[in-house]
């Protein structure tokens, strides 16, 4: 009976000792923290009340710090945690939570200002480092500002500096890249031969880099509808202004009426068109009687007008 009593007392003492030093703790092998410090309670379960302590500074936002078995054993001993490494290879990875601004977010920030400086309907922005990004403390407001932007208009090359929150202050992040302004232009769906007219149903719209557009490319579909091809125009290509004109109403060799206005007088004569053209075009016309060649403006089918002061060419 005495022996049994002693055994029970011994067991009670062991239980009491275990309770005083803390229950068997478990290691947290993967931890995410918000603040700038790592505490014992971040690494172990069942840290006794009043025993928690600062272990280390946490890594920068978005980064990970690895604590080895030796460090973890010392932390456990200092905080009264009942934990010891069993293999010596135990690790705890502590990741600092962050608000991440990725490359696509940076591009969206830059687009309005680049579009304003380079022009176009839209703009394609490409960073030299597609993995560029900014990690900010998760507890800070993600207030990112464009601090500086330098652009070369001829090439679209740019460099930018961004200002973002950081632990205890701000951080500056520099990015470089190239911007390609984009213009939406009307293009033909099918090939048009010389003289064929263009209607709205013949057109589609296509985005093209501004740098690849000819200087006289037409960007307004209204400037094409109702016009005629002055030469063969291929589909899917920007149309230049010199490639179209009003539909041809006079062809070379046509007999035309030449109308000459002088004050209140209107004189008419017969002529022969030396060139083709549409309404409003200036062509050369030969007077069939005098054989003199005059410049005249096409007013309609088989009708041209010669104005006072019009240049006269000899036959």
């Amino acid at each position: 009976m005495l022996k049994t009593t002693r055994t029970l007392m011994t067991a009670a003492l062991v239980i009491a000792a275990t309770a005083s030093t803390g229950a068997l703790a478990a290691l947290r092998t993967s931890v995410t923290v918000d603040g700038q410090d790592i505490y014992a309670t971040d690494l172990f379960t069942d840290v006794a009340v009043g025993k928690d302590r600062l272990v280390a500074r946490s890594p920068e936002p978005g980064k990970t710090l690895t604590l080895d078995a030796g460090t973890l054993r010392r932390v456990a001993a200092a905080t009264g945690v009942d934990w010891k490494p069993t293999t010596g290879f135990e690790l705890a990875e502590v990741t600092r939570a962050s608000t991440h601004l990725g490359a696509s977010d940076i591009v969206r920030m830059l687009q309005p200002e680049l579009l304003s400086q380079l022009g176009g309907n839209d703009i394609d922005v490409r960073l030299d480092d597609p993995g560029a990004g900014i990690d900010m403390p998760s507890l800070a407001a993600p207030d990112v500002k464009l601090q500086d932007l330098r652009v070369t208009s001829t090439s679209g090359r740019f460099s930018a500096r961004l200002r973002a929150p950081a632990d205890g202050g701000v951080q500056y992040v520099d990015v470089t890249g190239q911007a390609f302004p984009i213009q939406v232009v009307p293009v033909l769906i099918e090939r048009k031969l010389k003289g064929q007219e263009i209607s709205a149903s013949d057109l589609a719209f296509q985005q093209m880099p501004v740098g690849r557009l000819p200087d006289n490319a037409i960007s307004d579909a209204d400037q094409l509808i109702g016009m005629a091809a002055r030469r063969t125009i291929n589909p899917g290509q920007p149309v230049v202004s010199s490639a179209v004109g009003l539909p041809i109403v006079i062809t070379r060799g046509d007999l035309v009426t030449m109308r000459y206005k002088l004050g209140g007088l209107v004189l008419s004569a017969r002529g022969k068109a030396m060139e083709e053209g549409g309404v409003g075009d200036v062509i050369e016309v030969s007077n069939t009687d005098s054989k003199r060649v005059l410049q005249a403006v096409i007013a309609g089918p088989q009708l041209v007008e010669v104005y006072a002061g019009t240049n006269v060419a000899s036959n």
Side-chain angles (χ1 to χ4, degrees):
M1 181 67 180
L2 181 60
K3 182 177 181 181
T4 301
T5 301
R6 287 177 178 174
T7 301
L8 292 173
M9 290 178 64
T10 301
L13 289 173
V14 171
I15 293 172
T18 301
S20 65
T21 58
L24 184 64
L27 173 66
R28 306 182 200 271
T29 58
S30 181
V31 183
T32 300
V33 298
D34 287 304
Q36 300 180 52
D37 300 315
I38 303 172
Y39 289 88
T41 48
D42 295 319
L43 302 174
F44 298 102
T45 63
D46 299 319
V47 176
V49 176
K51 289 289 188 177
D52 196 14
R53 62 180 293 177
L54 176 66
V55 173
R57 294 283 290 180
S58 62
E60 295 178 358
K63 304 296 184 181
T64 297
L65 174 68
T66 301
L67 302 176
D68 61 19
T71 301
L72 296 169
R73 179 180 56 79
R74 289 191 294 273
V75 172
T79 54
V81 173
D82 187 13
W83 181 89
K84 291 182 180 179
T86 57
T87 66
F89 296 104
E90 288 85 354
L91 299 173
E93 291 185 337
V94 182
T95 301
R96 176 77 178 278
S98 70
T99 301
H100 181 72
L101 195 76
S104 60
D105 302 306
I106 293 173
V107 165
R108 280 192 290 272
M109 284 190 62
L110 297 176
Q111 279 177 326
E113 186 60 32
L114 288 169
L115 187 61
S116 172
Q117 294 195 33
L118 296 176
N121 298 116
D122 200 354
I123 198 162
D124 179 19
V125 179
R126 302 178 187 178
L127 301 181
D128 290 335
D129 179 8
I134 305 173
D135 283 294
M136 297 164 282
S138 59
L139 299 178
D143 185 22
V144 182
K145 302 291 186 183
L146 178 59
Q147 188 81 7
D148 185 47
L149 177 65
R150 300 176 187 273
V151 188
T152 303
S153 59
T154 53
S155 65
R157 292 289 307 171
F158 68 85
S159 62
R161 169 163 287 192
L162 303 174
R163 181 180 184 272
D167 287 335
V170 298
Q171 59 178 316
Y172 294 95
V173 178
D174 295 323
V175 294
T176 58
Q178 190 168 11
F180 303 90
I182 295 172
Q183 183 80 28
V184 177
V185 295
V187 297
L188 290 173
I189 298 172
E190 296 181 348
R191 178 182 288 109
K192 286 290 183 182
L193 302 178
K194 181 179 178 180
Q196 291 183 320
E197 294 189 28
I198 300 171
S199 65
S201 61
D202 294 321
L203 300 175
F205 292 89
Q206 188 168 314
Q207 289 187 336
M208 292 188 176
V210 171
R212 298 182 186 176
L213 289 175
D215 292 337
N216 57 343
I218 294 174
S219 59
D220 186 351
D222 289 339
Q223 296 178 7
L224 287 175
I225 297 171
M227 304 297 277
R230 290 296 173 88
R231 57 177 181 265
T232 299
I233 306 175
N234 291 319
Q237 300 296 323
V239 181
V240 296
S241 56
S242 60
V244 295
L246 291 170
I248 300 298
V249 294
I250 293 178
T251 60
R252 179 182 173 87
D254 281 353
L255 292 177
V256 298
T257 298
M258 301 170 60
R259 190 164 59 189
Y260 182 80
K261 294 181 179 180
L262 182 59
L265 295 177
V266 178
L267 305 176
S268 296
R270 296 294 290 170
K272 183 178 181 180
M274 310 298 289
E275 301 172 280
E276 68 179 13
V279 175
D281 287 340
V282 177
I283 64 171
E284 289 189 341
V285 180
S286 173
N287 187 308
T288 55
D289 292 329
S290 66
K291 306 303 180 185
R292 295 176 68 184
V293 176
L294 306 175
Q295 287 186 329
V297 178
I298 298 177
Q302 282 70 54
L303 177 64
V304 299
E305 293 183 341
V306 182
Y307 294 92
T310 301
N311 292 331
V312 178
S314 62
N315 56 339

